[in-house]
Every structure is written in structure tokens, then in C-alpha cells.
């Protein structure tokens, strides 16, 4: 008995039976169709939307007003204060979050060493935001 070259009775099958694969996929589809409604939440909650382009609304903080007259007298929020009282106010306000800005209104004839000492006391107490109030130059 001689075997011919074209005889493929002993070779591998060239056709794939897809019927079991289709049966398994249909069973899985039916299982997912049944379980999908059960996975939804039964309690509805109105969730917030996340928008990264918006910033949190910062609470406006009233600035601290410090007026310094020519003779060196200081008025913290329109109340006459001594240096010790002023340092105590700086220490209290430096702990606030967000920290208010200290706005210094010094008379133009006030000696600079008085203003420099105030700034040094404010910085030593932990005040970060210190600004100066000026008037606009006359136009003309």
C-alpha cells in the first residue's frame, strides 16, 4: 500500500468549528444583559461637576490699615496704638489664614527709620503681605 502525496486523511484539520465559540459568546452576552441593570445604583445623588479651569472663590479679607503721622504716632485701623500694641496686632493677624494685607499710610514727611522699624516688626511677626498707600500724582 502506497500513500499518495495528495492524501490528507492523516493531516491536521484545516477547518475550525466556530459553533462552540458562538454558543459561549451568546451565553456571556445573556449573562451581562441580566446583570447590567443590577449593577446600577438605586440611590440617585446629584454629584458636583469637576471643572479644572475654575478657581475656588477666595474669601475677601479686609486689609489692615496702619496710618503713621509725621510725629511718629501710629493708628492701627483708626485706633491710636503703641509699638508694643502694634507688634501684638501683627502677631495675631500673622496667624490668620488667609493672612490680611498690611497697608501702611505714612505721612510724606515721616522719617524713614520709623517706617523701616514698622516693616521690620511686621516681618518678624510673620506678616507676608505689606504694601504702601500713596496718592496719585497730579496730572498736568
Amino acid at each position: 500500500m502506497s500513500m499518495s502525496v495528495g492524501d490528507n486523511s492523516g493531516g491536521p484539520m484545516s477547518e475550525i468549528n466556530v459553533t462552540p465559540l458562538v454558543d459561549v459568546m451568546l451565553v456571556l452576552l445573556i449573562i451581562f444583559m441580566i446583570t447590567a441593570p443590577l449593577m446600577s445604583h438605586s440611590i440617585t445623588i446629584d454629584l458636583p461637576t469637576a471643572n479644572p479651569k475654575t478657581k475656588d472663590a477666595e474669601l475677601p479679607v479686609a486689609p489692615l490699615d496702619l496710618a503713621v503721622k509725621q510725629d511718629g504716632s501710629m493708628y492701627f485701623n483708626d485706633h491710636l496704638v503703641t509699638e508694643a500694641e502694634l507688634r501684638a496686632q501683627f502677631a495675631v493677624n500673622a496667624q490668620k489664614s488667609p493672612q490680611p494685607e498690611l497697608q501702611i499710610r505714612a505721612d510724606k514727611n515721616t522719617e524713614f527709620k520709623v517706617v523701616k522699624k514698622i516693616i521690620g516688626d511686621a516681618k518678624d511677626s510673620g506678616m507676608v503681605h505689606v504694601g504702601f498707600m500713596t496718592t496719585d500724582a497730579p496730572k498736568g
Side-chain angles (χ1 to χ4, degrees):
M1 292 190 140
S2 68
M3 283 185 88
S4 65
V5 178
D7 189 15
N8 57 356
S9 61
M13 281 180 43
S14 61
E15 297 178 15
I16 298 174
N17 190 1
V18 293
T19 306
L21 178 65
V22 172
D23 290 344
V24 169
M25 295 306 255
L26 286 174
V27 168
L28 287 176
L29 180 65
I30 291 170
I31 290 173
F32 284 125
M33 287 174 59
I34 292 171
T35 58
L38 300 176
M39 289 206 245
S40 66
H41 301 288
S42 60
I43 299 174
T44 58
I45 296 176
D46 188 18
L47 295 174
T49 56
N51 189 353
K53 294 181 181 179
T54 60
K55 293 182 179 179
D56 291 338
E58 293 183 11
L59 298 173
V61 179
L64 306 173
D65 179 52
L66 178 64
V68 183
K69 289 197 170 187
Q70 183 177 355
D71 61 358
S73 60
M74 297 173 286
Y75 294 86
F76 185 77
N77 289 338
D78 297 330
H79 298 295
L80 183 64
V81 291
T82 63
E83 285 186 33
E85 291 172 339
L86 186 62
R87 282 195 296 271
Q89 287 290 339
F90 288 160
V92 168
N93 287 294
Q95 302 302 319
K96 292 183 179 177
S97 179
Q99 191 180 90
E101 179 184 6
L102 173 65
Q103 295 179 347
I104 300 174
R105 295 183 298 130
D107 190 278
K108 65 180 180 180
N109 296 321
T110 305
E111 292 186 20
F112 181 70
K113 66 180 182 179
V114 174
V115 178
K116 183 179 177 186
K117 179 154 182 26
I118 292 170
I119 295 172
D121 289 344
K123 294 292 182 186
D124 290 343
S125 298
M127 296 293 294
V128 178
H129 308 290
V130 179
F132 293 98
M133 302 297 289
T134 61
T135 58
D136 291 335
K139 295 177 183 177

